[in-house]
């Protein structure tokens, strides 16, 4: 009973080239994905009515730059660890 919120970030490594790294961030509310950021697409995409409204706002605000920063700071920074395992 109550509400369930979950945010999950994934770094997908398809090649050793740093340009081939993809960041996917999913925002889930009550088991439904509302918004997803995909670095390959380069923007937030909404999947529900509220998600579409938030995605539009986030694509115009500092949230977009923040997600691209995560790609650089987290995914690309840890690429060597991923490839060494």
């Amino acid at each position: 009973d109550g509400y369930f919120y979950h945010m999950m970030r994934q770094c997908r490594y398809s090649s050793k080239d740093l340009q081939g790294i993809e960041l996917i961030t999913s925002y889930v509310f009550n088991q439904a994905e509302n918004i997803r950021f995909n670095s390959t697409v380069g923007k937030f995409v909404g999947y529900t009515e509220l998600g579409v409204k938030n995605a539009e706002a986030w694509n115009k605000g500092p949230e977009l730059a923040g997600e691209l920063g995560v790609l650089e700071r987290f995914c690309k920074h840890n690429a060597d660890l991923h490839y060494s395992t």
Side-chain angles (χ1 to χ4, degrees):
D1 305 64
Y3 297 100
F4 173 79
Y5 170 78
H6 178 76
M7 188 266 296
M8 181 176 64
R9 284 198 169 110
Q10 304 173 44
C11 298
R12 295 186 179 174
Y13 302 92
S14 59
S15 69
K16 289 194 175 190
D17 178 16
L18 291 181
Q19 299 306 317
I21 298 173
E22 180 181 39
L23 169 67
I24 298 175
T25 306
S26 298
Y27 297 85
V28 178
F29 182 72
N30 282 351
Q31 300 180 357
E33 184 175 23
N34 290 321
I35 302 172
R36 176 183 292 175
F37 173 81
N38 183 322
S39 63
T40 302
V41 175
K43 66 179 185 176
F44 291 95
V45 176
Y47 296 105
T48 64
E49 185 178 345
L50 180 59
V52 169
K53 289 179 183 179
N54 284 334
E56 289 173 1
W58 292 0
N59 285 326
K60 296 175 185 172
E63 294 84 0
L64 183 60
E67 285 298 313
L68 294 171
V70 170
L71 175 65
E72 295 296 323
R73 286 187 319 271
F74 184 74
C75 294
K76 291 183 178 181
H77 178 75
N78 291 309
D80 288 339
L81 291 173
H82 172 77
Y83 292 123
S84 69
T85 57

